[in-house]
Amino acid sequence: MSVSVSPLAPKFLPEMPAIRGLRMATAAAGIKYKNRNDVLLMVFDQPATVAGVFTRSKCPSAPVDFCRANLPHGQARVVVVNSGNANAFTGLKGKAATELTAKSAAAAVGCEANEVYLASTGVIGEPLDASKFAGVLGDMHSAAAPDFWVEAAKAIMTTDTYPKVATRTAEIGGVTVMINGIAKGAGMIAPDMATMLSFVATDADIDASVLQQLLSAGVEPSFNSVTVDSDTSTSDTLMLFATGAAAADGQAKVTLVDDPALEGFRAALNDLLKDLALQVVRDGEGARKMVEITVTGAENDLAAKRIALSIANSPLVKTAVAGEDANWGRIVMAVGKSGEMADRDKLAIWFGEVRVAVDGERDPDYSEAAATAVMQREDIPVRVELGIGEGKATVWTCDLTKEYVAINGDYRS
Amino acid sequence: MSVSVSPLAPKFLPEMPAIRGLRMATAAAGIKYKNRNDVLLMVFDQPATVAGVFTRSKCPSAPVDFCRANLPHGQARVVVVNSGNANAFTGLKGKAATELTAKSAAAAVGCEANEVYLASTGVIGEPLDASKFAGVLGDMHSAAAPDFWVEAAKAIMTTDTYPKVATRTAEIGGVTVMINGIAKGAGMIAPDMATMLSFVATDADIDASVLQQLLSAGVEPSFNSVTVDSDTSTSDTLMLFATGAAAADGQAKVTLVDDPALEGFRAALNDLLKDLALQVVRDGEGARKMVEITVTGAENDLAAKRIALSIANSPLVKTAVAGEDANWGRIVMAVGKSGEMADRDKLAIWFGEVRVAVDGERDPDYSEAAATAVMQREDIPVRVELGIGEGKATVWTCDLTKEYVAINGDYRS
């Protein structure tokens, strides 16, 4: 397995401020890894409002089932996340493990089990020994500190080569609020949803139902628009928590999703979600190049997105990118196989600013050298104009390299 | 690019008898390759009945358009196939190229343009210089010989590492008839349909509409049940020709698809189509292992097939196979992402005869050693029982190796 950091990693980590009302701690519980932290505790001083979006897999993990069941309650006091074991496809043992973990967490923090949220990531099908949490959660609660975001991001990594953090500020009714987020994920990444795990928190005071609407809308152009390998995890979890601490500064609680005071917050949240989602792609297993695929002129936006994902998930497109080969014929292939309306003789394709095909054939001014120069970049924009309608979409993916095969050929061992 | 023969190749080529009424020749027209044959001519002494199944790509190649337009005529005198250039996404030039090729072929053989069938395979998006055919087709027609199947299969290869041929005999009303076929394809292989190019011929006397019904039904459990990389070509073409020469032995022409006399022929044809389709998978680019995926107990047969293909197309499943890793958690993931009805807690999974999971968790008698021993085989059977209904399907795929990435990272260069 590769241990070097992805060449596409951000060049520096942002300064991560504290989010008032939230403290965190990490510990090494020995779930699977040796000599590294594998448990994250997030604890809210007061009940936070909570929203969540989860995998659409028909075989979700036990923690996903657990979170879904708690979500209608709308309040969170504690979040426990572990890496190394996904507690997925673990049958009744998996359910028992979530119950035991929730009980330990509730006892450590002093809350109800329905204020607990859980997430697990790692190997599927191995029973998770939840008794390991009991021994560490009490100490973690005592040690929890507000300024701990990067360590938190590190504790939830699996095949990730770098911790993924992002921060934004916004104003709600003249009061400044913060939004921080962490994410992990590098493989088994595809829409519905694309992240493995991501946790976002703000000190804004926002109603749970508003939070849910913001998150459900925000996930579409971010985590649901990235793909590494078209494989959807059983464990995908994205959660958003609002501590409400900004109420102390006079921020009036937001209770309506169309409240004009939310505009800045919404934009900042969406920007942060996109930042985190792109960091996941940039850490795609074995990735050496990032590809931004924009489809315009489709029948409608949904058709555009399906075509963009057909391109983004094509092994032949992704290996061509790995080989720095301006093989636009494979883009045509991927458009054709999407099943969406396309008119071969109206298609145009660009690599970066270089138009390589127009009116259904190679551009008369095609320059192999110019196209290849784009393919040699680290970030490669691809655009496909269908010439049919107004639909458009952008998705992001990475190349498919020998390293991806190496990483995934012996992940369990 | 790899030049060694796939380790999964058949150990020997079958003896390929002649099909009465059909002669073939190959030539080096210099379409793209140097020093190898790249054109195949198939010529029928008398008009043969014809059936075809083509790619469902929305961006089909010019030869696919050409064949589709001729098919209603139902008669074939000549087939021209080239490798090296797919004549796909070549705009009006592509159409002109098919017309010029058809004209040259019709002149060489002495037939009408609507009795010509064309297929091209190779690079997409490069104009095809059809004038190169004009120089060779006349000589090819003179030289065409009945006993030429293996050479024919070689001439249409691109990234294939071995020629794919198959032969069967059957009886129709007591008269023995022959069926021969060739295929090429190693990448850009996925259903709708999976083959790149395949041409099958028989000396049986069968009506064109019956031939079409046989072929349309036969393609489902064969070429439409194999996948190498989920990528569907713009050029997929499967054609079936019947010379009718067996009429001389007293075979009564078959004009109804439910004629009981057809049963033996139908079975032999389906067996030959499956043989050719599996040869394509066994030559999957970079393939080192063949995987047969059977899904049982699904809601219905279509759901079973979708689940089987979700498994077969999963990069994580395919890399695990490459790594000889009995990672059945990824099978669960692929079942879950298919979107088809599944009950996590009723799932059971086998690698070969080793049951690895049952009732939604690891088999109590799970043996890593036994499961790994299956993964170390060249041919790996995987079975998933959903426990919901009666639907079942079997599909075939290969592993995803570093060699696949290498082959496709610089195919054009």
Side-chain angles (χ1 to χ4, degrees), chain A residues 250-271:
Chain A
Q251 186 230 308
K253 183 166 186 145
V254 179
T255 57
L256 294 170
V257 75
D258 52 4
D259 186 335
L262 258 189
E263 281 322 296
F265 182 87
R266 188 196 315 268
L269 174 65
N270 288 346
D271 199 50

Side-chain angles (χ1 to χ4, degrees), chain B residues 19-83:
Chain B
I19 297 290
R20 289 175 294 170
L22 166 60
R23 291 175 296 121
M24 292 180 287
T26 60
I31 303 294
K32 171 174 183 276
Y33 304 112
K34 305 293 173 206
N35 305 317
R36 64 156 272 193
N37 289 333
D38 56 3
V39 185
L40 164 65
L41 179 82
M42 302 173 74
V43 57
F44 299 98
D45 299 329
Q46 301 295 326
T49 56
V50 54
V53 182
F54 303 94
T55 180
R56 289 183 200 147
S57 171
K58 302 289 181 181
C59 300
S61 68
V64 165
D65 282 350
F66 180 88
C67 289
R68 279 204 174 106
N70 274 356
L71 208 55
H73 178 62
Q75 291 202 332
R77 280 294 310 283
V78 58
V79 184
V80 180
V81 189
N82 75 276
S83 55

Side-chain angles (χ1 to χ4, degrees), chain A residues 195-271:
Chain A
T195 187
M196 307 256 43
L197 303 180
S198 180
F199 304 95
V200 180
T202 177
D203 57 0
D205 196 11
I206 302 178
D207 191 76
S209 74
V210 174
L211 220 49
Q212 185 64 51
Q213 291 172 79
L214 287 171
L215 191 64
S216 295
V219 74
E220 268 312 313
S222 59
F223 286 108
N224 276 350
S225 293
V226 301
T227 178
V228 167
D229 53 16
S230 83
D231 276 342
T232 305
S233 162
T234 55
S235 308
D236 294 336
T237 297
L238 165 62
M239 303 202 75
L240 171 60
F241 304 93
T243 68
D249 299 340
Q251 186 230 308
K253 183 166 186 145
V254 179
T255 57
L256 294 170
V257 75
D258 52 4
D259 186 335
L262 258 189
E263 281 322 296
F265 182 87
R266 188 196 315 268
L269 174 65
N270 288 346
D271 199 50

Side-chain angles (χ1 to χ4, degrees), chain B residues 383-403:
Chain B
R383 182 156 82 85
V384 176
E385 164 63 41
L386 292 166
I388 290 175
E390 300 294 319
K392 60 181 191 300
T394 298
V395 307
W396 294 268
T397 190
C398 56
D399 54 348
L400 171 57
T401 65
K402 293 177 192 172
E403 188 72 3

Side-chain angles (χ1 to χ4, degrees), chain B residues 105-144:
Chain B
V109 173
C111 71
E112 299 297 318
N114 66 3
E115 295 173 307
V116 178
Y117 287 86
L118 304 174
S120 298
T121 175
V123 171
I124 299 175
E126 300 282 338
L128 172 66
D129 180 3
S131 68
K132 291 190 173 172
F133 296 121
V136 297
L137 292 178
D139 287 347
M140 291 174 82
H141 182 228
S142 309

